[in-house]
């Protein structure tokens, strides 16, 4: 009986205390990051939130360039905010705002290899869904890409994606400890 009570207490505590986990979006799903994929259709209906991650899978012909709104509209990779060529890039979404991504290979962006996502706050998803613009020129307004450093290294080890996992692990150990004390 005591074991059943502990298990029930642990289950209730985990369900009520552990927040919903962040999502890892595989850009393009099984197609990955390549030409011939409609990234507007891929992103449509998805809600991107702070704490989520965009994972780009691609071959050595491609790259992922995070660019400004103006460079996105011009398909220019000459002045990227960040540049990735590791063929497996995870980009944590750490701030609200609009982010712009293109392939830096000549002609690929112009043929549709570009993605825009609008990141909402992590606390509550946007009620109308994300504003997604791909294969169109974005309005030149105040919602440009979130400020990032000019570092060209992959930031997949950034703590944003792992912080939710650490919180969940901490809560799990706390719940187990609490259950042990009550038993």
């Amino acid at each position: 009986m005591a074991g059943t009570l502990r298990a029930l207490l642990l289950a209730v505590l985990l369900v009520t205390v552990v927040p919903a986990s962040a999502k890892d979006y595989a850009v393009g799903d099984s197609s990955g990051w390549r030409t011939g994929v409609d990234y507007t259709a891929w992103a449509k209906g998805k809600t991107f939130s702070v704490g989520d991650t965009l994972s780009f899978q691609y071959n050595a012909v491609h790259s992922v360039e995070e660019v400004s709104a103006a460079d996105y509209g011009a398909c220019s990779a000459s002045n990227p905010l960040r540049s990735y060529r590791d063929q497996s890039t995870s980009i944590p979404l750490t701030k609200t705002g609009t982010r712009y991504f293109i392939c830096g290979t000549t002609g690929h962006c112009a043929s549709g290899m570009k993605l825009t996502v609008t990141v909402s706050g992590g606390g509550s998803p946007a009620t109308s869904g994300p504003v997604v613009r791909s294969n169109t020129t974005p309005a030149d307004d105040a919602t440009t890409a979130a400020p990032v450093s000019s570092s060209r290294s992959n930031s997949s080890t950034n703590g944003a994606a792992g912080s939710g996992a650490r919180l969940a692990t901490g809560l799990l150990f706390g719940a187990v400890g609490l259950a042990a004390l009550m038993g």
Side-chain angles (χ1 to χ4, degrees):
M1 176 75 176
T4 304
L5 181 59
R6 270 190 239 133
L8 181 60
L9 176 64
L10 178 61
V12 169
L13 187 61
L14 287 176
V15 169
T16 59
V17 175
V18 176
S21 62
K23 295 179 184 172
D24 181 25
Y25 290 98
V27 175
D29 295 324
S30 62
S31 296
W33 183 240
R34 64 176 180 83
T35 56
V37 176
D38 183 347
Y39 293 102
T40 299
W42 173 81
K44 189 173 187 166
K46 291 177 175 62
T47 301
F48 302 97
S49 300
V50 170
D52 291 347
T53 303
L54 296 177
S55 295
F56 293 81
Q57 299 297 317
Y58 50 99
N59 64 35
V61 172
H62 304 296
S63 66
V64 176
E65 310 292 331
E66 183 167 3
V67 296
S68 68
D71 286 344
Y72 177 88
C75 277
S76 173
S78 63
N79 189 31
L81 301 170
R82 288 197 177 163
S83 182
Y84 307 91
R85 290 175 171 56
D86 61 2
Q87 301 176 43
S88 182
T89 301
S90 292
I91 299 175
L93 303 176
T94 59
K95 296 182 181 182
T96 60
T98 305
R99 310 266 306 255
Y100 303 92
F101 303 94
I102 65 173
C103 178
T105 303
T106 304
H108 289 192
C109 174
S111 65
M113 202 169 165
K114 58 198 283 185
L115 171 69
T116 301
V117 298
T118 297
V119 182
S120 64
S124 60
T127 55
S128 62
V131 176
V132 178
R133 293 180 299 236
S134 183
N135 304 328
T136 60
T137 303
D140 223 357
D141 58 20
T143 57
T144 59
V148 293
S149 71
S150 61
S151 168
R152 293 181 179 258
S153 64
N154 185 342
S155 61
S156 64
T157 57
N158 188 328
S163 63
R166 285 191 299 275
L167 174 62
T169 302
L171 289 172
L172 176 63
F173 282 120
V176 169
L178 181 61
L181 287 173
M182 295 182 74

